[in-house]
Amino acid sequence: METDAGQIDQAVDQTGDEASPGRAMRVAAALKAKGGDQFAKPGNIIEVKFVKGESLSLTASRLLALMILTAGGDAWEDRPHRMRKADIRRGHKGNERISDMLEELHRTLFAVDDKSWRGKKATLRFSLISRSREESEEDGGEAGWIEWEFTPDARKLIQASETYAVLNRQAVLGFRSSYALKLYELGALRLHRRQATWKGDMQALRAALGIPPEVYADFAQLRRKVLEKAKAEIDQLAHFRVEWREIRQGRTVTELEFRFEPKGAPEVIETVDELNRHSSGREARRDGSVETMSVAAAGQGKISAPTKVLPKAKPEEKTFPRGSLHFGEDELLAIGRAYGGGWDINMIADAYREHMGERLGKLRGAKMVASWKGFCEGWVNRRGRP
């Protein structure tokens, strides 16, 4: 599911020169030539901010991703790009009109920091699509095509982009939340950096994800309706996991820091299997329940309504172990590796036991996991990296 970014970078470095576009387009060309579901989206396009009050719907966001995939390494060129309407329909419900998605892309404004003609700090606002043509239903129908061109401002950003995110087509089309899709792109962009994090205040978060200012004004609502749902979808469909830390002033959340961690091989296999399944029942599988169909007696030819089978009750939640974390404590070991800054995990665990003392025996389940994660982070903050 995940492409070796190092091999791609080495290949594009061998073919790049001063006249060529940035690394993002060279990687996009290499992935398109390779075939498959992976494609590169330029970091400069992922990081453009929505103008206040603007955002893209989920369907328009998916269409834009398909446009980037189709254009490949030619997205920066001043030329039209073409895609079959049937390829778009595969990622959308049949009653969604392609013309509505195109019109939404035309009218949505994005913003980037820029310089004015006097060299002063300025904000550049622009659209991504300059023109498009859609073959009419009577002429083309499902066999028809669309044609579009990126705006000069969009092409300039695409050409200059040295950063990129390797995305999976099936994952992009599998998301049911536009916020989850946007956070997936941000995570894929940062996943292989030295610090695989994104940090910003509430205004920056809304601009990055396209959350209107009047929506989810209460952070508890935003956490429940946006962040928790986005995390659940990303953890199920992406090749990485996401966590976040809430930074407060008093009782008010002022900033958020997201951390993106690659999945291990067994989890990646599970993710690939999930992407190959039908989307029906995906939410039930994510929540830990499954939908089953019971067939009526042979000869009647009837199928009963779906029934949900709830997950078995969880056993008593574990306490922090006394011995090495390397034996049967996969979750705690993974947390130590992710947040322990490269220190020996059992050294941190011993210090944690000493620090908690008698309190450790009473700490269980999710609270214990959160306490352990916080201690690992604090260890690195106090001691730095080895």
Side-chain angles (χ1 to χ4, degrees), residues 195-257:
Q195 295 291 332
T197 61
W198 184 92
K199 184 178 180 180
D201 59 20
M202 303 310 297
Q203 183 177 355
L205 176 68
R206 288 180 177 275
L209 300 187
I211 307 173
E214 69 279 3
V215 176
Y216 308 131
D218 180 68
F219 180 76
Q221 279 188 319
L222 189 145
R223 181 199 293 119
R224 185 172 66 256
K225 298 290 188 178
V226 176
L227 301 182
E228 291 179 355
K229 288 187 176 182
K231 171 180 167 54
E233 286 201 68
I234 289 171
D235 287 354
Q236 185 182 33
L237 300 178
H239 54 286
F240 58 88
R241 294 186 174 277
V242 60
E243 302 286 348
W244 74 84
R245 179 169 65 95
E246 298 168 7
I247 302 170
R248 298 173 180 268
Q249 288 186 358
R251 300 181 63 181
T252 302
V253 176
T254 57
E255 289 184 294
L256 289 174
E257 181 180 52

Short mmCIF file of all heavy atoms in Angstrom, two decimals, residues 195-257:
data_model
loop_
_atom_site.label_atom_id
_atom_site.label_comp_id
_atom_site.label_asym_id
_atom_site.label_seq_id
_atom_site.Cartn_x
_atom_site.Cartn_y
_atom_site.Cartn_z
N GLN A 195 9.91 15.48 12.03
CA GLN A 195 8.84 15.69 12.99
C GLN A 195 7.51 15.52 12.26
O GLN A 195 7.08 16.41 11.53
CB GLN A 195 8.93 17.11 13.61
CG GLN A 195 10.16 17.35 14.45
CD GLN A 195 10.15 16.55 15.73
OE1 GLN A 195 9.09 16.22 16.27
NE2 GLN A 195 11.34 16.21 16.23
N ALA A 196 6.90 14.36 12.41
CA ALA A 196 5.66 14.05 11.69
C ALA A 196 4.47 14.64 12.44
O ALA A 196 3.61 13.93 12.97
CB ALA A 196 5.51 12.55 11.53
N THR A 197 4.43 15.97 12.51
CA THR A 197 3.40 16.66 13.27
C THR A 197 2.84 17.84 12.49
O THR A 197 3.46 18.33 11.54
CB THR A 197 3.95 17.18 14.61
OG1 THR A 197 5.01 18.12 14.35
CG2 THR A 197 4.48 16.04 15.46
N TRP A 198 1.66 18.28 12.89
CA TRP A 198 1.07 19.54 12.43
C TRP A 198 0.54 20.25 13.65
O TRP A 198 -0.19 19.66 14.45
CB TRP A 198 -0.06 19.31 11.43
CG TRP A 198 -0.63 20.58 10.86
CD1 TRP A 198 -0.25 21.22 9.72
CD2 TRP A 198 -1.69 21.38 11.43
NE1 TRP A 198 -0.99 22.35 9.53
CE2 TRP A 198 -1.89 22.48 10.57
CE3 TRP A 198 -2.48 21.28 12.58
CZ2 TRP A 198 -2.85 23.46 10.81
CZ3 TRP A 198 -3.43 22.26 12.83
CH2 TRP A 198 -3.61 23.32 11.95
N LYS A 199 0.88 21.51 13.83
CA LYS A 199 0.47 22.27 15.01
C LYS A 199 -0.09 23.62 14.58
O LYS A 199 0.46 24.27 13.69
CB LYS A 199 1.65 22.47 15.95
CG LYS A 199 1.31 23.17 17.26
CD LYS A 199 2.55 23.27 18.14
CE LYS A 199 2.26 23.97 19.46
NZ LYS A 199 3.46 24.08 20.31
N GLY A 200 -1.20 24.01 15.18
CA GLY A 200 -1.78 25.30 14.86
C GLY A 200 -2.85 25.69 15.86
O GLY A 200 -3.36 24.86 16.62
N ASP A 201 -3.17 26.99 15.86
CA ASP A 201 -4.25 27.45 16.74
C ASP A 201 -5.59 27.13 16.08
O ASP A 201 -5.67 26.55 14.99
CB ASP A 201 -4.11 28.94 17.06
CG ASP A 201 -4.12 29.81 15.81
OD1 ASP A 201 -4.60 29.36 14.75
OD2 ASP A 201 -3.63 30.96 15.88
N MET A 202 -6.68 27.52 16.74
CA MET A 202 -8.00 27.14 16.26
C MET A 202 -8.32 27.79 14.91
O MET A 202 -8.97 27.19 14.05
CB MET A 202 -9.06 27.51 17.30
CG MET A 202 -8.84 26.89 18.67
SD MET A 202 -8.54 25.10 18.59
CE MET A 202 -10.09 24.53 17.93
N GLN A 203 -7.84 29.01 14.72
CA GLN A 203 -8.07 29.68 13.43
C GLN A 203 -7.34 28.95 12.30
O GLN A 203 -7.88 28.75 11.21
CB GLN A 203 -7.62 31.14 13.51
CG GLN A 203 -7.89 31.92 12.23
CD GLN A 203 -7.47 33.39 12.36
OE1 GLN A 203 -7.07 33.84 13.43
NE2 GLN A 203 -7.58 34.13 11.27
N ALA A 204 -6.10 28.54 12.57
CA ALA A 204 -5.33 27.81 11.56
C ALA A 204 -5.96 26.46 11.27
O ALA A 204 -5.97 26.00 10.12
CB ALA A 204 -3.89 27.64 12.03
N LEU A 205 -6.47 25.79 12.30
CA LEU A 205 -7.11 24.49 12.10
C LEU A 205 -8.34 24.63 11.20
O LEU A 205 -8.53 23.84 10.27
CB LEU A 205 -7.52 23.90 13.45
CG LEU A 205 -8.30 22.58 13.39
CD1 LEU A 205 -7.41 21.46 12.89
CD2 LEU A 205 -8.89 22.23 14.75
N ARG A 206 -9.16 25.64 11.47
CA ARG A 206 -10.35 25.84 10.65
C ARG A 206 -9.98 26.18 9.21
O ARG A 206 -10.62 25.69 8.26
CB ARG A 206 -11.21 26.97 11.25
CG ARG A 206 -11.92 26.57 12.54
CD ARG A 206 -12.75 27.69 13.12
NE ARG A 206 -13.46 27.28 14.32
CZ ARG A 206 -14.64 26.67 14.31
NH1 ARG A 206 -15.26 26.45 13.15
NH2 ARG A 206 -15.23 26.30 15.43
N ALA A 207 -8.94 26.97 9.02
CA ALA A 207 -8.51 27.32 7.67
C ALA A 207 -7.98 26.11 6.93
O ALA A 207 -8.21 25.94 5.73
CB ALA A 207 -7.46 28.42 7.73
N ALA A 208 -7.24 25.24 7.66
CA ALA A 208 -6.63 24.08 7.02
C ALA A 208 -7.66 23.03 6.63
O ALA A 208 -7.56 22.41 5.57
CB ALA A 208 -5.59 23.47 7.95
N LEU A 209 -8.67 22.82 7.49
CA LEU A 209 -9.66 21.78 7.24
C LEU A 209 -10.91 22.31 6.55
O LEU A 209 -11.76 21.52 6.13
CB LEU A 209 -10.06 21.09 8.55
CG LEU A 209 -8.94 20.39 9.33
CD1 LEU A 209 -9.54 19.61 10.50
CD2 LEU A 209 -8.12 19.48 8.45
N GLY A 210 -11.03 23.64 6.44
CA GLY A 210 -12.22 24.21 5.80
C GLY A 210 -13.44 24.16 6.68
O GLY A 210 -14.56 23.95 6.19
N ILE A 211 -13.26 24.38 7.99
CA ILE A 211 -14.39 24.41 8.93
C ILE A 211 -14.90 25.84 9.03
O ILE A 211 -14.15 26.72 9.48
CB ILE A 211 -13.96 23.90 10.32
CG1 ILE A 211 -13.28 22.54 10.22
CG2 ILE A 211 -15.17 23.83 11.25
CD1 ILE A 211 -12.68 22.06 11.53
N PRO A 212 -16.12 26.13 8.63
CA PRO A 212 -16.64 27.50 8.70
C PRO A 212 -16.60 28.03 10.14
O PRO A 212 -16.76 27.26 11.09
CB PRO A 212 -18.08 27.36 8.20
CG PRO A 212 -18.08 26.11 7.36
CD PRO A 212 -17.09 25.19 8.03
N PRO A 213 -16.39 29.33 10.30
CA PRO A 213 -16.25 29.89 11.66
C PRO A 213 -17.47 29.73 12.54
O PRO A 213 -17.36 29.66 13.76
CB PRO A 213 -15.94 31.38 11.40
CG PRO A 213 -16.40 31.63 10.00
CD PRO A 213 -16.24 30.36 9.25
N GLU A 214 -18.66 29.65 11.92
CA GLU A 214 -19.88 29.55 12.73
C GLU A 214 -20.26 28.12 13.05
O GLU A 214 -21.22 27.87 13.79
CB GLU A 214 -21.05 30.23 11.98
CG GLU A 214 -21.54 29.49 10.73
CD GLU A 214 -20.69 29.77 9.50
OE1 GLU A 214 -19.67 30.49 9.62
OE2 GLU A 214 -21.04 29.25 8.42
N VAL A 215 -19.51 27.15 12.53
CA VAL A 215 -19.83 25.74 12.74
C VAL A 215 -18.96 25.18 13.87
O VAL A 215 -17.76 25.41 13.91
CB VAL A 215 -19.59 24.94 11.44
CG1 VAL A 215 -19.82 23.45 11.67
CG2 VAL A 215 -20.50 25.45 10.34
N TYR A 216 -19.58 24.45 14.78
CA TYR A 216 -18.89 23.83 15.91
C TYR A 216 -18.08 24.87 16.69
O TYR A 216 -16.89 24.72 16.93
CB TYR A 216 -17.96 22.70 15.45
CG TYR A 216 -18.64 21.69 14.56
CD1 TYR A 216 -18.07 21.28 13.34
CD2 TYR A 216 -19.86 21.12 14.93
CE1 TYR A 216 -18.69 20.36 12.53
CE2 TYR A 216 -20.49 20.19 14.11
CZ TYR A 216 -19.90 19.81 12.92
OH TYR A 216 -20.52 18.89 12.10
N ALA A 217 -18.76 25.93 17.10
CA ALA A 217 -18.09 27.00 17.84
C ALA A 217 -17.58 26.49 19.18
O ALA A 217 -16.56 26.97 19.69
CB ALA A 217 -19.05 28.17 18.05
N ASP A 218 -18.28 25.53 19.78
CA ASP A 218 -17.85 24.92 21.04
C ASP A 218 -16.84 23.83 20.72
O ASP A 218 -17.09 22.95 19.90
CB ASP A 218 -19.05 24.35 21.78
CG ASP A 218 -18.65 23.70 23.09
OD1 ASP A 218 -18.23 24.42 24.00
OD2 ASP A 218 -18.74 22.46 23.18
N PHE A 219 -15.67 23.85 21.40
CA PHE A 219 -14.63 22.88 21.07
C PHE A 219 -15.05 21.45 21.35
O PHE A 219 -14.65 20.53 20.64
CB PHE A 219 -13.34 23.18 21.84
CG PHE A 219 -12.24 22.20 21.51
CD1 PHE A 219 -11.54 22.30 20.32
CD2 PHE A 219 -11.92 21.16 22.38
CE1 PHE A 219 -10.55 21.38 19.99
CE2 PHE A 219 -10.93 20.25 22.06
CZ PHE A 219 -10.24 20.37 20.87
N ALA A 220 -15.89 21.24 22.36
CA ALA A 220 -16.35 19.87 22.64
C ALA A 220 -17.11 19.32 21.44
O ALA A 220 -16.99 18.14 21.10
CB ALA A 220 -17.23 19.86 23.88
N GLN A 221 -17.89 20.16 20.78
CA GLN A 221 -18.59 19.74 19.56
C GLN A 221 -17.61 19.47 18.44
O GLN A 221 -17.72 18.47 17.71
CB GLN A 221 -19.56 20.83 19.11
CG GLN A 221 -20.88 20.86 19.84
CD GLN A 221 -21.83 21.84 19.19
OE1 GLN A 221 -21.43 22.93 18.78
NE2 GLN A 221 -23.08 21.47 19.08
N LEU A 222 -16.63 20.35 18.28
CA LEU A 222 -15.64 20.17 17.22
C LEU A 222 -14.86 18.88 17.43
O LEU A 222 -14.58 18.15 16.47
CB LEU A 222 -14.70 21.38 17.17
CG LEU A 222 -13.75 21.46 15.99
CD1 LEU A 222 -13.53 22.92 15.56
CD2 LEU A 222 -12.40 20.83 16.30
N ARG A 223 -14.51 18.60 18.67
CA ARG A 223 -13.78 17.37 18.97
C ARG A 223 -14.63 16.15 18.59
O ARG A 223 -14.13 15.20 17.97
CB ARG A 223 -13.40 17.30 20.44
CG ARG A 223 -12.61 16.05 20.81
CD ARG A 223 -12.63 15.75 22.29
NE ARG A 223 -11.90 16.73 23.07
CZ ARG A 223 -12.44 17.49 24.02
NH1 ARG A 223 -13.75 17.38 24.28
NH2 ARG A 223 -11.73 18.34 24.70
N ARG A 224 -15.91 16.19 18.98
CA ARG A 224 -16.78 15.03 18.76
C ARG A 224 -17.19 14.87 17.30
O ARG A 224 -17.17 13.76 16.75
CB ARG A 224 -18.03 15.16 19.64
CG ARG A 224 -18.96 13.95 19.58
CD ARG A 224 -20.07 14.06 20.60
NE ARG A 224 -20.99 15.17 20.32
CZ ARG A 224 -21.00 16.32 20.98
NH1 ARG A 224 -20.14 16.53 21.96
NH2 ARG A 224 -21.86 17.26 20.67
N LYS A 225 -17.54 15.98 16.64
CA LYS A 225 -18.09 15.92 15.29
C LYS A 225 -17.02 15.89 14.20
O LYS A 225 -17.26 15.36 13.11
CB LYS A 225 -19.00 17.13 15.05
CG LYS A 225 -20.22 17.20 15.96
CD LYS A 225 -21.22 16.11 15.63
CE LYS A 225 -22.52 16.31 16.41
NZ LYS A 225 -23.53 15.28 16.06
N VAL A 226 -15.83 16.45 14.49
CA VAL A 226 -14.79 16.55 13.46
C VAL A 226 -13.60 15.66 13.79
O VAL A 226 -13.28 14.73 13.05
CB VAL A 226 -14.32 18.02 13.29
CG1 VAL A 226 -13.17 18.09 12.29
CG2 VAL A 226 -15.48 18.88 12.81
N LEU A 227 -12.94 15.92 14.91
CA LEU A 227 -11.68 15.26 15.20
C LEU A 227 -11.83 13.77 15.45
O LEU A 227 -11.08 12.95 14.89
CB LEU A 227 -11.00 15.94 16.39
CG LEU A 227 -10.69 17.43 16.24
CD1 LEU A 227 -9.98 17.96 17.47
CD2 LEU A 227 -9.87 17.69 14.98
N GLU A 228 -12.78 13.39 16.30
CA GLU A 228 -12.92 11.97 16.63
C GLU A 228 -13.39 11.17 15.42
O GLU A 228 -12.93 10.05 15.19
CB GLU A 228 -13.89 11.81 17.80
CG GLU A 228 -13.32 12.33 19.12
CD GLU A 228 -14.29 12.19 20.28
OE1 GLU A 228 -15.46 11.76 20.04
OE2 GLU A 228 -13.92 12.51 21.43
N LYS A 229 -14.29 11.74 14.62
CA LYS A 229 -14.75 11.04 13.42
C LYS A 229 -13.63 10.93 12.39
O LYS A 229 -13.47 9.90 11.73
CB LYS A 229 -15.96 11.76 12.82
CG LYS A 229 -17.23 11.59 13.64
CD LYS A 229 -18.43 12.18 12.92
CE LYS A 229 -19.73 11.92 13.69
NZ LYS A 229 -20.91 12.44 12.97
N ALA A 230 -12.86 12.02 12.23
CA ALA A 230 -11.74 11.99 11.28
C ALA A 230 -10.70 10.96 11.70
O ALA A 230 -10.19 10.21 10.87
CB ALA A 230 -11.12 13.37 11.17
N LYS A 231 -10.40 10.91 12.98
CA LYS A 231 -9.41 9.94 13.47
C LYS A 231 -9.89 8.51 13.21
O LYS A 231 -9.10 7.65 12.77
CB LYS A 231 -9.17 10.14 14.97
CG LYS A 231 -8.32 9.03 15.60
CD LYS A 231 -8.10 9.24 17.07
CE LYS A 231 -7.53 7.99 17.72
NZ LYS A 231 -6.31 7.49 17.08
N ALA A 232 -11.16 8.24 13.47
CA ALA A 232 -11.68 6.89 13.27
C ALA A 232 -11.55 6.46 11.81
O ALA A 232 -11.17 5.32 11.52
CB ALA A 232 -13.14 6.83 13.71
N GLU A 233 -11.86 7.37 10.88
CA GLU A 233 -11.76 7.02 9.46
C GLU A 233 -10.31 6.85 9.02
O GLU A 233 -9.97 5.92 8.27
CB GLU A 233 -12.44 8.10 8.61
CG GLU A 233 -13.96 8.07 8.67
CD GLU A 233 -14.58 8.77 7.48
OE1 GLU A 233 -14.46 8.27 6.36
OE2 GLU A 233 -15.18 9.86 7.69
N ILE A 234 -9.44 7.76 9.47
CA ILE A 234 -8.03 7.68 9.08
C ILE A 234 -7.39 6.41 9.63
O ILE A 234 -6.67 5.70 8.92
CB ILE A 234 -7.27 8.94 9.56
CG1 ILE A 234 -7.70 10.16 8.74
CG2 ILE A 234 -5.75 8.74 9.45
CD1 ILE A 234 -7.18 11.47 9.26
N ASP A 235 -7.64 6.10 10.88
CA ASP A 235 -7.06 4.89 11.48
C ASP A 235 -7.52 3.63 10.75
O ASP A 235 -6.81 2.63 10.71
CB ASP A 235 -7.44 4.79 12.96
CG ASP A 235 -6.70 5.80 13.83
OD1 ASP A 235 -5.81 6.50 13.30
OD2 ASP A 235 -7.03 5.91 15.03
N GLN A 236 -8.71 3.68 10.15
CA GLN A 236 -9.22 2.52 9.44
C GLN A 236 -8.74 2.44 8.00
O GLN A 236 -8.44 1.35 7.49
CB GLN A 236 -10.75 2.54 9.45
CG GLN A 236 -11.39 1.29 8.83
CD GLN A 236 -12.90 1.37 8.80
OE1 GLN A 236 -13.48 2.45 8.65
NE2 GLN A 236 -13.57 0.23 8.97
N LEU A 237 -8.61 3.58 7.30
CA LEU A 237 -8.39 3.57 5.85
C LEU A 237 -6.99 4.00 5.41
O LEU A 237 -6.60 3.71 4.28
CB LEU A 237 -9.42 4.48 5.16
CG LEU A 237 -10.90 4.10 5.35
CD1 LEU A 237 -11.79 5.11 4.66
CD2 LEU A 237 -11.17 2.70 4.86
N ALA A 238 -6.25 4.70 6.26
CA ALA A 238 -4.94 5.22 5.86
C ALA A 238 -3.83 4.27 6.25
O ALA A 238 -4.03 3.34 7.03
CB ALA A 238 -4.70 6.60 6.49
N HIS A 239 -2.62 4.51 5.71
CA HIS A 239 -1.46 3.69 6.05
C HIS A 239 -0.73 4.25 7.27
O HIS A 239 0.42 3.91 7.52
CB HIS A 239 -0.50 3.59 4.86
CG HIS A 239 -0.07 4.91 4.30
ND1 HIS A 239 -0.90 5.70 3.54
CD2 HIS A 239 1.10 5.59 4.38
CE1 HIS A 239 -0.26 6.80 3.18
NE2 HIS A 239 0.95 6.76 3.69
N PHE A 240 -1.41 5.10 8.01
CA PHE A 240 -0.84 5.66 9.24
C PHE A 240 -1.97 5.92 10.22
O PHE A 240 -3.16 5.87 9.87
CB PHE A 240 -0.07 6.95 8.95
CG PHE A 240 -0.89 8.03 8.28
CD1 PHE A 240 -1.62 8.94 9.02
CD2 PHE A 240 -0.92 8.13 6.90
CE1 PHE A 240 -2.37 9.93 8.41
CE2 PHE A 240 -1.67 9.11 6.27
CZ PHE A 240 -2.40 10.02 7.03
N ARG A 241 -1.60 6.22 11.45
CA ARG A 241 -2.56 6.58 12.49
C ARG A 241 -2.35 8.03 12.90
O ARG A 241 -1.27 8.58 12.70
CB ARG A 241 -2.41 5.67 13.72
CG ARG A 241 -2.80 4.22 13.45
CD ARG A 241 -2.79 3.39 14.74
NE ARG A 241 -3.29 2.06 14.50
CZ ARG A 241 -4.58 1.75 14.48
NH1 ARG A 241 -5.49 2.70 14.72
NH2 ARG A 241 -4.97 0.52 14.25
N VAL A 242 -3.36 8.63 13.49
CA VAL A 242 -3.26 10.02 13.91
C VAL A 242 -3.68 10.14 15.37
O VAL A 242 -4.61 9.47 15.82
CB VAL A 242 -4.13 10.94 13.02
CG1 VAL A 242 -5.61 10.54 13.08
CG2 VAL A 242 -3.97 12.40 13.44
N GLU A 243 -2.94 10.95 16.12
CA GLU A 243 -3.30 11.32 17.49
C GLU A 243 -3.17 12.84 17.58
O GLU A 243 -2.51 13.47 16.76
CB GLU A 243 -2.35 10.67 18.51
CG GLU A 243 -2.31 9.15 18.47
CD GLU A 243 -3.55 8.51 19.06
OE1 GLU A 243 -4.34 9.24 19.70
OE2 GLU A 243 -3.73 7.29 18.87
N TRP A 244 -3.81 13.42 18.59
CA TRP A 244 -3.63 14.86 18.77
C TRP A 244 -3.52 15.20 20.25
O TRP A 244 -3.96 14.46 21.12
CB TRP A 244 -4.78 15.65 18.13
CG TRP A 244 -6.09 15.60 18.87
CD1 TRP A 244 -6.48 16.38 19.92
CD2 TRP A 244 -7.18 14.71 18.61
NE1 TRP A 244 -7.74 16.05 20.32
CE2 TRP A 244 -8.20 15.03 19.54
CE3 TRP A 244 -7.39 13.69 17.68
CZ2 TRP A 244 -9.41 14.36 19.55
CZ3 TRP A 244 -8.60 13.03 17.70
CH2 TRP A 244 -9.59 13.35 18.62
N ARG A 245 -2.86 16.32 20.50
CA ARG A 245 -2.67 16.84 21.86
C ARG A 245 -3.30 18.21 21.93
O ARG A 245 -3.09 19.06 21.06
CB ARG A 245 -1.18 16.91 22.18
CG ARG A 245 -0.85 17.47 23.56
CD ARG A 245 0.62 17.26 23.88
NE ARG A 245 1.49 18.02 22.99
CZ ARG A 245 1.98 19.23 23.28
NH1 ARG A 245 1.68 19.82 24.45
NH2 ARG A 245 2.78 19.85 22.44
N GLU A 246 -4.10 18.43 22.96
CA GLU A 246 -4.79 19.71 23.15
C GLU A 246 -3.97 20.59 24.08
O GLU A 246 -3.64 20.20 25.19
CB GLU A 246 -6.19 19.47 23.72
CG GLU A 246 -7.07 18.66 22.78
CD GLU A 246 -8.36 18.16 23.42
OE1 GLU A 246 -8.62 18.58 24.59
OE2 GLU A 246 -9.08 17.38 22.79
N ILE A 247 -3.63 21.77 23.60
CA ILE A 247 -2.83 22.73 24.37
C ILE A 247 -3.79 23.79 24.89
O ILE A 247 -4.53 24.41 24.12
CB ILE A 247 -1.74 23.36 23.48
CG1 ILE A 247 -0.84 22.25 22.91
CG2 ILE A 247 -0.92 24.37 24.27
CD1 ILE A 247 0.10 22.72 21.84
N ARG A 248 -3.78 24.01 26.19
CA ARG A 248 -4.78 24.86 26.83
C ARG A 248 -4.16 26.09 27.50
O ARG A 248 -3.00 26.06 27.93
CB ARG A 248 -5.57 24.07 27.88
CG ARG A 248 -6.34 22.89 27.31
CD ARG A 248 -6.97 22.05 28.41
NE ARG A 248 -7.71 20.92 27.87
CZ ARG A 248 -9.02 20.95 27.58
NH1 ARG A 248 -9.71 22.07 27.81
NH2 ARG A 248 -9.62 19.89 27.09
N GLN A 249 -4.94 27.12 27.57
CA GLN A 249 -4.70 28.27 28.44
C GLN A 249 -5.85 28.31 29.42
O GLN A 249 -6.97 28.69 29.05
CB GLN A 249 -4.60 29.57 27.63
CG GLN A 249 -3.33 29.69 26.82
CD GLN A 249 -3.21 31.06 26.15
OE1 GLN A 249 -4.09 31.91 26.26
NE2 GLN A 249 -2.11 31.28 25.46
N GLY A 250 -5.57 27.88 30.64
CA GLY A 250 -6.65 27.69 31.58
C GLY A 250 -7.47 26.49 31.16
O GLY A 250 -6.94 25.40 30.95
N ARG A 251 -8.76 26.69 30.98
CA ARG A 251 -9.64 25.60 30.55
C ARG A 251 -9.93 25.66 29.04
O ARG A 251 -10.64 24.81 28.52
CB ARG A 251 -10.94 25.66 31.34
CG ARG A 251 -10.75 25.52 32.85
CD ARG A 251 -12.08 25.56 33.58
NE ARG A 251 -12.94 24.44 33.21
CZ ARG A 251 -14.16 24.27 33.70
NH1 ARG A 251 -14.67 25.15 34.57
NH2 ARG A 251 -14.89 23.23 33.32
N THR A 252 -9.39 26.66 28.37
CA THR A 252 -9.68 26.85 26.95
C THR A 252 -8.62 26.21 26.08
O THR A 252 -7.42 26.41 26.30
CB THR A 252 -9.76 28.36 26.62
OG1 THR A 252 -10.77 28.97 27.44
CG2 THR A 252 -10.11 28.56 25.15
N VAL A 253 -9.04 25.42 25.11
CA VAL A 253 -8.12 24.83 24.14
C VAL A 253 -7.74 25.92 23.13
O VAL A 253 -8.59 26.46 22.43
CB VAL A 253 -8.75 23.63 23.41
CG1 VAL A 253 -7.79 23.09 22.35
CG2 VAL A 253 -9.11 22.54 24.40
N THR A 254 -6.46 26.23 23.07
CA THR A 254 -5.98 27.29 22.18
C THR A 254 -5.24 26.76 20.97
O THR A 254 -5.21 27.40 19.92
CB THR A 254 -5.06 28.25 22.94
OG1 THR A 254 -3.97 27.50 23.51
CG2 THR A 254 -5.83 28.97 24.05
N GLU A 255 -4.59 25.58 21.10
CA GLU A 255 -3.83 25.00 20.00
C GLU A 255 -4.01 23.49 19.99
O GLU A 255 -4.35 22.88 21.01
CB GLU A 255 -2.34 25.31 20.12
CG GLU A 255 -1.96 26.75 19.87
CD GLU A 255 -0.45 26.93 19.93
OE1 GLU A 255 0.11 26.76 21.02
OE2 GLU A 255 0.15 27.23 18.88
N LEU A 256 -3.76 22.89 18.83
CA LEU A 256 -3.78 21.45 18.68
C LEU A 256 -2.50 21.01 17.99
O LEU A 256 -2.02 21.68 17.07
CB LEU A 256 -4.97 20.98 17.86
CG LEU A 256 -6.36 21.10 18.51
CD1 LEU A 256 -7.43 20.74 17.50
CD2 LEU A 256 -6.46 20.19 19.72
N GLU A 257 -1.94 19.89 18.44
CA GLU A 257 -0.78 19.30 17.78
C GLU A 257 -1.14 17.88 17.37
O GLU A 257 -1.46 17.04 18.21
CB GLU A 257 0.44 19.27 18.70
CG GLU A 257 1.66 18.69 18.01
CD GLU A 257 2.89 18.66 18.90
OE1 GLU A 257 2.77 18.11 20.03
OE2 GLU A 257 3.95 19.16 18.50
#
